[in-house]
Amino acid sequence: MSEKKPFITLEQAKEIAAAYPTPFHIYDEAGIRRTARALNRAFAWNKGFREYFAVKATPNPFILSILREEGCGVDCSSDTELMLSRACGFHGEEIMFSSNETEAGEFALAHSLGGIINLDDYTLIEAMEEGCGGVPELVSCRFNPGGEFAIGNRIMDQPKDAKYGMTRAQLTQAYRTLMQKGARHFGLHAFLASNTLTNAYYPMLARILFETAVELHRETGAHIALINLSGGVGIAYRPEDTENDIAAIGEGVRKAYEEVLVPAGMGDVRICTELGRFMLGPNGALVTTARHEKHTYKEYIGVDACACNLMRPAMYGAYHHITVLGKENAPCDHVYDVVGSLCENNDKFAIDRRLPKIDRGDLLYIHDTGAHGFSMGYNYNGKLRSAEILLQEDGSAKLIRRAETPKDYFATFDFTDFKF
């Protein structure tokens, strides 16, 4: 069981909301640092280990700077994410560029920053050559083994349906071609399942990649310098979920490393991770105010946030736990749909959720929005994206992104032919 406890109190939330009106996303600096340090400890056995935080999860320079102070790199998927990372001081092999359907110009920017290119497809070699002015000495390749990925009798995901990565035969072809064109060192990457709640996932993925790396080395003679386990280690969104134990996960990967890579003479391989959700998810929340109640065939609580602030429930049917601040110990004896104001019926943060009695003006704390929360925001219905706040280690609140205004919404229009 996981304890779903807010990292701010009602009094703190009220004080912050007085300066920065709800809705807002808030992040816990102390929690972020604790998580980063726990991950680094779990993989300290591997010389050169690095977490490449997925920028897409939480693209805010203040968050990225905290992670850089904790020794993390960044995983980027676009030129703008590369620009943001550059502005935060990331450079060289602190940057992993894992893109798909990529143009030469994006490869050029990644290469100019000294980043590691994680190649999604064999056919992109030509674009990479064009953008980089040749093939870099270190290139990583993304592997998709196809089929179904299962742990025991449980199917975790369907790699065969994913658009990412190369087949096993294409990997060998890519390594040989890249070696002919000047590559001297290689990486191997795969992402087989999302948000797993089992300590067995990473060790099992690692074993697959380690065995594949040994085969590739024997087939091609390539020096494999790094293996990127990507993301997929999940978080406990529901109170009844059991949290992953990152120390046990790191130990499981170490065991596979010692059993597969070391006997093959490949004990110099660096391990990398891309744990955006694990790193930030529980260390962020969306705070919103209850402003309306509706009594029809169901009981509704309308809040000032909507799916534009957090689209995961609308997009995936994802569960996010809700705490009514100040009523943490009150009985959950009411059943509500908690909804936003979009003209879409899927704009719901909770459906038939048992909660304490909610009154207008109550502050609701929506848990686990620190990754893929704000970053997936949008402007449908003319809604404006919310502010982002950092709860600093000393307990003070810092505005790290202001809320959008109507001026921001209209900024990309050319109003020459319009008179208002």
Side-chain angles (χ1 to χ4, degrees):
M1 300 284 287
S2 64
E3 185 179 9
K4 307 305 290 184
K5 184 178 179 180
F7 56 75
I8 55 171
T9 64
L10 174 61
E11 290 70 27
Q12 286 176 303
K14 283 182 175 179
E15 183 178 349
I16 295 167
Y20 311 112
T22 60
F24 55 77
H25 284 271
I26 186 165
Y27 307 96
D28 179 19
E29 179 181 358
I32 294 168
R33 292 188 185 277
R34 280 196 304 271
T35 305
R37 291 169 189 175
L39 175 63
N40 284 328
R41 283 196 303 271
F43 285 88
W45 53 266
N46 180 252
K47 185 177 180 180
F49 168 78
R50 177 170 283 148
E51 155 65 14
Y52 285 92
F53 177 76
V55 175
K56 63 179 177 288
T58 319
N60 187 292
F62 292 89
I63 301 298
L64 297 181
S65 295
I66 291 170
L67 292 169
R68 186 165 188 263
E69 289 173 3
E70 296 297 334
C72 299
V74 282
D75 177 67
C76 301
S77 300
S78 68
D79 50 3
T80 46
E81 289 184 353
L82 287 166
M83 294 173 194
L84 176 58
S85 299
R86 176 178 61 190
C88 294
F90 292 96
H91 64 278
E93 292 189 5
E94 294 176 340
I95 299 171
M96 185 80 66
F97 184 56
S98 301
S99 61
N100 63 95
E101 314 306 328
T102 311
E103 298 294 327
E106 292 176 296
F107 284 127
L109 178 56
H111 185 61
S112 72
L113 298 176
I116 300 169
I117 292 174
N118 188 25
L119 200 64
D120 182 67
D121 187 56
Y122 179 84
T123 62
L124 291 175
I125 293 176
E126 184 177 341
M128 181 180 68
E129 276 191 285
E130 179 184 346
C132 300
V135 168
E137 287 194 358
L138 170 60
V139 182
S140 181
C141 292
R142 191 166 185 170
F143 176 39
N144 183 335
E148 296 175 337
F149 179 73
I151 295 178
N153 294 322
R154 182 184 173 196
I155 296 174
M156 307 296 291
D157 218 321
Q158 305 277 352
K160 65 183 181 182
D161 295 328
K163 71 174 182 175
Y164 308 108
M166 307 180 201
T167 68
R168 178 63 185 81
Q170 288 172 337
L171 272 182
T172 299
Q173 183 183 16
Y175 272 43
R176 285 176 172 158
T177 299
L178 290 165
M179 289 175 70
Q180 291 170 1
K181 293 177 176 291
R184 297 179 56 202
H185 309 287
F186 290 85
L188 183 62
H189 170 286
F191 178 84
L192 301 188
S194 180
N195 195 39
T196 61
L197 283 178
T198 168
N199 294 337
Y201 168 63
Y202 242 24
M204 188 170 179
L205 169 64
R207 193 171 292 273
I208 291 170
L209 287 177
F210 296 166
E211 290 173 351
T212 303
V214 171
E215 293 172 0
L216 285 166
H217 173 66
R218 289 172 178 167
E219 289 171 3
T220 67
H223 173 241
I224 298 177
L226 63 90
I227 292 177
N228 189 337
L229 302 178
S230 66
V233 175
I235 62 174
Y237 283 104
R238 297 175 181 269
E240 62 268 26
D241 290 338
T242 300
E243 295 179 343
N244 281 316
D245 181 345
I246 197 62
I249 290 170
E251 175 59 20
V253 174
R254 186 201 63 78
K255 187 171 184 290
Y257 189 100
E258 295 290 337
E259 291 176 355
V260 179
L261 289 179
V262 172
M266 299 173 64
D268 63 337
V269 174
R270 306 195 309 271
I271 301 300
C272 309
T273 58
E274 296 170 2
L275 296 177
R277 188 196 311 265
F278 178 84
M279 297 289 287
L280 256 293
N283 296 313
L286 174 62
V287 178
T288 181
T289 301
R291 64 181 186 182
H292 183 249
E293 54 186 279
K294 182 176 182 178
H295 316 283
T296 54
Y297 306 104
K298 304 179 77 170
E299 295 294 304
Y300 294 93
I301 294 295
V303 297
D304 59 3
C306 67
C308 292
N309 306 109
L310 177 66
M311 74 183 297
R312 294 187 73 254
M315 185 176 185
Y316 303 121
Y319 180 95
H320 282 266
H321 198 65
I322 296 175
T323 294
V324 184
L325 292 175
K327 299 182 179 180
E328 290 87 349
N329 298 317
C332 294
D333 53 5
H334 287 63
V335 178
Y336 297 111
D337 280 14
V338 179
V339 303
S341 59
L342 287 187
C343 294
E344 295 292 338
N345 197 44
N346 66 350
D347 182 20
K348 298 180 178 182
F349 295 111
I351 299 173
D352 296 330
R353 185 77 61 86
R354 297 190 69 84
L355 292 164
K357 183 181 184 303
I358 298 175
D359 300 300
R360 294 183 186 183
D362 279 349
L363 291 173
L364 276 61
Y365 177 105
I366 302 178
H367 292 252
D368 303 317
T369 71
H372 312 289
F374 178 93
S375 65
M376 296 177 74
Y378 55 107
N379 290 120
Y380 182 62
N381 270 182
K383 297 296 183 180
L384 304 174
R385 281 179 279 244
S386 53
E388 290 183 291
I389 312 293
L390 179 66
L391 181 68
Q392 299 182 110
E393 288 187 291
D394 64 4
S396 63
K398 179 177 183 176
L399 181 68
I400 58 174
R401 190 194 304 262
R402 65 167 175 80
E404 287 184 337
T405 67
K407 185 177 180 180
D408 297 315
Y409 180 78
F410 294 119
T412 55
F413 290 120
D414 182 350
F415 288 108
T416 303
D417 297 327
F418 296 89
K419 300 188 188 305
F420 290 95

